[in-house]
Amino acid sequence: MTRRIDTLADIADAYDAVVFDQWGVLHNGTEPYKGALHCVETLAGDVAVLSNSGKRAAPNAVRIREMGFTRPFHTVMTSGEALWRDIRLGKIKERIFHAVERAPNDAQTWADGLDIAFSSLAEAEALLLMGLPDESALSEWNPLLQSALGRDLPVYCSNPDRHSPRAGGTVTSVGALAFAYKDLGGEVHFYGKPHRPIFDSLVDALGSSNLLMVGDSLEHDIAGAAGASWDSVFVGGGLYRDHFSGGDWRDALDALPASAAPTYFIGELR
């Protein structure tokens, strides 16, 4: 049964390291959450980040630092980093991609050091889903998906999140596009949480499996932690902030679809 905690410090000493999701836990993309800075700075033991970000680890580490988190994280691992490494190691055969990105040149920046090229969809060997502009509606991407399906293109998704928190609420994330393609019968390769390899990479990096995952997504953070046999803390003040704004927290938690229950619940990180 999920137990409510008041602060992360109440339980952190029982683990060799605490692994944080990024958006919805540490910050909302614009500013850090209240209490998150103090929480991270004062925890004993190692801290790490495991993020479903389509970008590589280094720019995410810079983003976190610019948010005011000055304490060094032992490891910052992203889904975009995991995909980049697989391409570099030759685990992915395609070399010409059509990229869907949140901002222009995101894909070119991400691909630095890789022997790949980007092209129009008509010339691509695969579709790379990195991000969506914040104002995107899923329906506007249907023609692209249908065209890719017509050419039987595989899709590589470097961010499986369907939605992402922002300062003003939530936005559609590129994972929703990948799941839509999968529903159409397309071939999709997901990188990031909840898939086991990215959790195993943290075990290797930290040298321990006694890890605590702190996240705001039941589908990605909590389910992924359960699959890796990690304990987890579900943060109600992130992606599901409005859902937990009133009433009993346990009733609100039970009302959400989930394949695994979190070990702990906290309203906001502190």
Side-chain angles (χ1 to χ4, degrees):
M1 179 177 292
T2 303
R3 169 188 157 198
R4 180 164 190 162
I5 58 174
D6 293 322
T7 70
L8 203 56
D10 294 342
I11 59 170
D13 288 349
Y15 303 91
D16 292 333
V18 178
V19 181
F20 295 94
D21 177 37
Q22 192 178 169
W23 276 268
V25 173
L26 297 179
H27 62 77
N28 61 19
T30 303
E31 59 187 6
Y33 285 112
K34 181 180 179 181
L37 288 170
H38 181 263
C39 174
V40 172
E41 295 296 324
T42 57
L43 279 181
D46 282 330
V47 292
V49 169
L50 184 57
S51 174
N52 277 1
S53 167
K55 295 183 178 181
R56 294 193 62 194
N60 275 278
V62 170
R63 179 200 296 271
I64 294 167
R65 188 165 59 250
E66 289 177 345
M67 291 281 180
F69 293 90
T70 58
R71 177 181 179 175
F73 287 86
H74 181 286
T75 302
V76 175
M77 175 57 67
T78 68
S79 47
E81 181 74 24
L83 175 57
W84 188 96
R85 292 183 182 188
D86 271 8
I87 293 176
R88 182 66 180 268
L89 292 171
K91 295 182 179 181
I92 294 172
K93 64 180 181 179
E94 291 84 11
R95 283 295 180 269
I96 304 175
F97 296 85
H98 179 74
V100 176
E101 53 197 352
R102 185 182 179 193
N105 297 318
D106 276 355
Q108 289 286 356
T109 300
W110 168 85
D112 184 41
L114 296 178
D115 182 22
I116 64 174
F118 295 101
S119 73
S120 67
L121 187 66
E123 299 174 339
E125 299 172 345
L127 187 60
L128 172 64
L129 304 183
M130 292 192 64
L132 291 180
D134 281 357
E135 66 276 8
S136 286
L138 189 59
S139 59
E140 69 187 77
W141 296 95
N142 286 337
L144 176 77
L145 297 185
Q146 292 291 345
S147 295
L149 190 67
R151 296 196 54 225
D152 199 26
L153 295 182
V155 162
Y156 292 91
C157 180
S158 64
N159 181 351
D161 288 354
R162 299 173 191 258
H163 300 92
S164 295
R166 294 289 186 268
T170 61
V171 297
T172 300
S173 193
V174 76
L177 204 59
F179 280 105
Y181 192 68
K182 184 177 180 181
D183 289 342
L184 290 171
E187 175 188 344
V188 180
H189 302 273
F190 290 100
Y191 279 77
K193 301 170 291 187
H195 305 284
R196 181 64 181 268
I198 201 165
F199 287 85
D200 290 342
S201 72
L202 260 293
V203 172
D204 292 341
L206 293 165
S208 172
S209 59
N210 182 30
L211 305 176
L212 180 68
M213 181 76 224
V214 182
D216 69 325
S217 170
L218 291 168
E219 179 183 10
H220 299 112
D221 303 313
I222 306 308
S229 298
W230 298 9
D231 284 353
S232 62
V233 178
F234 178 67
V235 181
L239 186 62
Y240 295 101
R241 176 177 296 271
D242 292 343
H243 185 76
F244 287 94
S245 61
D248 181 78
W249 70 272
R250 190 174 296 282
D251 289 342
L253 181 60
D254 289 344
L256 292 173
S259 59
T263 315
Y264 305 100
F265 172 87
I266 192 169
E268 293 186 354
L269 189 60
R270 55 181 180 268

